[in-house]
Structure formats: C-alpha cells, structure tokens
Amino acid sequence: MRRLRDLLQEAQQNGVAIGHFNVSDLVLLKAVFAAARELNVPVLVGLSESEREFVGTRQIAALVRSLREEFDFPIFLNADHTHSLAKGIEAAKAGFDSIVFDLSSLPIEENMCQTKQAVEALKAINPSMLVEGEIGDIGTGSEIHESSPDLSKGLSTAEEAKQFVESTGVDILAPAVGNMHGMLRSMVQGETKKRLDVERIAGIKQAARIFLTLHGGSGTDDEDLRKAISAGINIVHINTELRVAWRHGLEQGLAKQPDEVVPYKILPSVLDSVKQVVGSRLKLFNGRQMVQKA
Ligand SMILES: [Zn+2]
C-alpha cells in the first residue's frame, strides 16, 4: 500500500487534489468510501476533536484500517483541527496517517514555536505521520452561519507562509486564502458561492514549496476550486456540505417510511445523499468532470 505522502506527490504531479471529508458516524464513512471506490481515487477521512470524541479515536482508526486492508484501497485517516499536543499524541498512537495541528488562533510566533515542538513529538511516535500547520483566520464551525465573519485581516501572506514552514518543519500548510469554515444559508440554497484568492495561493506555493490544504471548501465556486488546485492546493476539505446532505437524507428517509423503525432500512437514504455530494466533489478535485464533458 502506498503512503499518503506518495499519493500527495502523485496528485501534485497530475495537477489534481485529494478530497478530505469529515465523518462522525458509520454512514458518513461508508458514503465517503463508496464514492471514492466507485471513482477509484485516494481519499482522506477526517475527524475534528469533537468528531473523534463522539466516534472514538481508536475505534475510527480500526474502522478505516479495516477498509484499507480488506479492499486494498488508499483511504487515509486525518486528525482534523487538533488544538493540543495531548490530543495529537492520542491520534498518533491510534495510528492516524496525518494531523492538522491548529494553533492559528495564537499569535504567529507562539503558533510557530508550539507547532515545531508538536512536529518533533508526533514524528517521534510515528515518523511517517504527516503534520499540517495552520496560519491565518478562516473562522470556526463547519455549520450554517447566519452572517459572514470579516476574515480579510486574517489572510495569509507568502512571506509568513515561508517563515512558518521553514521554522516548524511541517509537511503540509493550511493558509487563509479567502476560504471559510461553514456555509452561509445563501450558500446552502445555492444562491451564493465562496470565492478564493487564487493569486495568493500561487504566491504562497511558490514561496513555501510545500503541500497545501484548503479548509472550508464547502460552498466554494467550482471554477475557483479548479484554479486553486492548479495553483498548488493538494488537499480540499469538505464538511458542511456533507452535514447538510446527511440531514436531508435522514429527513427524506424518515418521511418516506413514517412507520419504519429498522435503522438499516432508513439509513441508506442518508448514505445515498452523502455519497452523491462526495462523488461530485471527488470528480471535480480529480479533474474527472472535464474528461466527461470532452
Ligand atoms: Zn478545517
């Protein structure tokens, strides 16, 4: 089985990105896995600290490992938005393939100092674990927001990206480039889209020369995502879109069978709804939509 680092390298060479999807139950995991298998593309499954608390850190590691081994399929596990070294160590020991060590709310000097320490501590446990650092402000909460926060002051610069990467030794960097966690209600309804600062991404890539992750990809304009990947984004995170699909699927499943109590008869509706979103995002990230149109 090839490692996550090799697959990122390969994606970079091919001008595509690896999709990262957050899961917090077995139905979401099954949906992500099914969509990735259907397209035969590598995929990252991520869980934030709260998502891990609900599912179980060692339990999700066992589930993802069992899928990877049984189907010989490149599905990898990421410890998304981890705010303390203790939680990071827990994920490293459980066998996570990568971690988002997120101290972006701290002043940059403090963020750099503590991220460097975390890189050393985590690599001591698992040398092949990839560590991602975060800079800038992209807001919090993969949920539906009523109003848009002002994130213009928290955009990342090429200079700070370069300095952060060189001083911390991270493998992956997540910059703030117009992206935002969560979605506005108008985005859920499809009336508005997030727009990205593609030039900023290209500048950061050129200066920092490292794998780049785009967080908060839900609700982003498709063309901007394509351009962002061309400019150097290697991983795109999608969470809120899946959560919206999960809820819609559940409501439909319950409405269709108002008297049903058997979970495995209701939940396929959730699985289908989520799988559709994952599949369409994976096609975009892997350049499959253009192939289909041609
Ligand atoms: Zn994120």
Side-chain angles (χ1 to χ4, degrees):
M1 175 58 64
R2 283 172 304 164
R3 296 173 312 161
L4 179 56
R5 181 188 292 281
D6 303 327
L7 290 162
L8 278 168
Q9 197 63 51
E10 202 175 294
Q12 177 148 287
Q13 276 157 9
N14 296 336
V16 301
I18 296 183
H20 174 291
F21 302 92
N22 286 72
V23 304
S24 47
D25 73 7
L26 183 61
V27 179
L28 283 153
L29 176 63
K30 282 172 77 82
V32 172
F33 183 62
R37 262 194 103 201
E38 216 166 87
L39 294 164
N40 198 24
V41 293
V43 74
L44 255 167
V45 165
L47 292 88
S48 66
E49 284 185 12
S50 312
E51 286 165 337
R52 301 204 291 276
E53 200 167 312
F54 182 72
V55 179
T57 301
R58 291 176 61 187
Q59 286 65 41
I60 190 68
L63 279 169
V64 171
R65 194 182 313 119
S66 73
L67 289 170
R68 179 155 63 188
E69 289 174 1
E70 181 174 346
F71 298 92
D72 190 27
F73 191 85
I75 179 168
F76 296 94
L77 183 58
N78 176 49
D80 204 9
H81 296 289
T82 303
H83 303 290
S84 71
L85 186 54
K87 290 283 176 193
I89 287 171
E90 197 178 281
K93 286 186 172 163
F96 279 56
D97 302 289
S98 61
I99 181 168
V100 170
F101 194 70
D102 181 4
L103 298 183
S104 58
S105 63
L106 297 179
I108 184 106
E109 295 296 332
E110 191 56 31
N111 181 1
M112 279 199 281
C113 174
Q114 288 193 40
T115 300
K116 180 179 167 33
Q117 290 168 0
V119 170
E120 286 162 8
L122 295 167
K123 301 262 183 194
I125 296 167
N126 175 6
S128 67
M129 187 183 204
L130 301 183
V131 182
E132 175 179 315
E134 315 282 296
I135 53 170
D137 182 12
I138 56 167
T140 56
S142 294
E143 49 204 313
I144 297 164
H145 305 300
E146 290 306 329
S147 62
S148 182
D150 179 16
L151 302 171
S152 57
K153 290 194 190 79
L155 289 170
S156 307
T157 65
E159 189 47 48
E160 83 184 346
K162 182 175 193 287
Q163 195 192 354
F164 184 89
V165 167
E166 284 172 0
S167 76
T168 58
V170 291
D171 304 286
I172 307 168
L173 178 71
V177 289
N179 48 331
M180 178 193 98
H181 280 126
M183 290 170 86
L184 301 178
R185 202 163 291 285
S186 58
M187 292 170 180
V188 176
Q189 284 150 0
E191 292 157 7
T192 60
K193 300 276 181 195
K194 289 180 203 168
R195 304 304 306 263
L196 302 172
D197 188 339
V198 176
E199 259 178 60
R200 192 178 291 272
I201 295 169
I204 288 170
K205 188 73 172 190
Q206 205 176 13
R209 301 191 168 280
I210 192 169
F211 295 130
L212 295 179
T213 295
L214 183 81
H215 281 255
S218 291
T220 306
D221 180 72
D222 283 6
E223 197 50 38
D224 276 16
L225 283 170
R226 278 194 202 99
K227 287 181 190 160
I229 293 165
S230 297
I233 292 290
N234 306 101
I235 299 170
V236 183
H237 280 225
I238 299 284
N239 191 354
T240 314
E241 285 180 7
L242 264 55
R243 290 176 166 184
V244 169
W246 182 93
R247 185 176 175 115
H248 283 170
L250 185 58
E251 283 171 351
Q252 279 171 2
L254 292 171
K256 255 188 284 173
Q257 309 167 84
D259 300 319
E260 188 56 76
V261 295
V262 181
Y264 60 75
K265 293 184 181 170
I266 298 168
L267 294 173
S269 166
V270 184
L271 199 152
D272 289 344
S273 171
V274 173
K275 188 184 155 200
Q276 215 173 354
V277 174
V278 176
S280 120
R281 283 325 204 171
L282 281 175
K283 278 184 200 162
L284 178 75
F285 303 158
N286 287 278
R288 295 285 178 90
Q289 280 176 337
M290 285 183 265
V291 174
Q292 283 183 337
K293 274 181 203 161

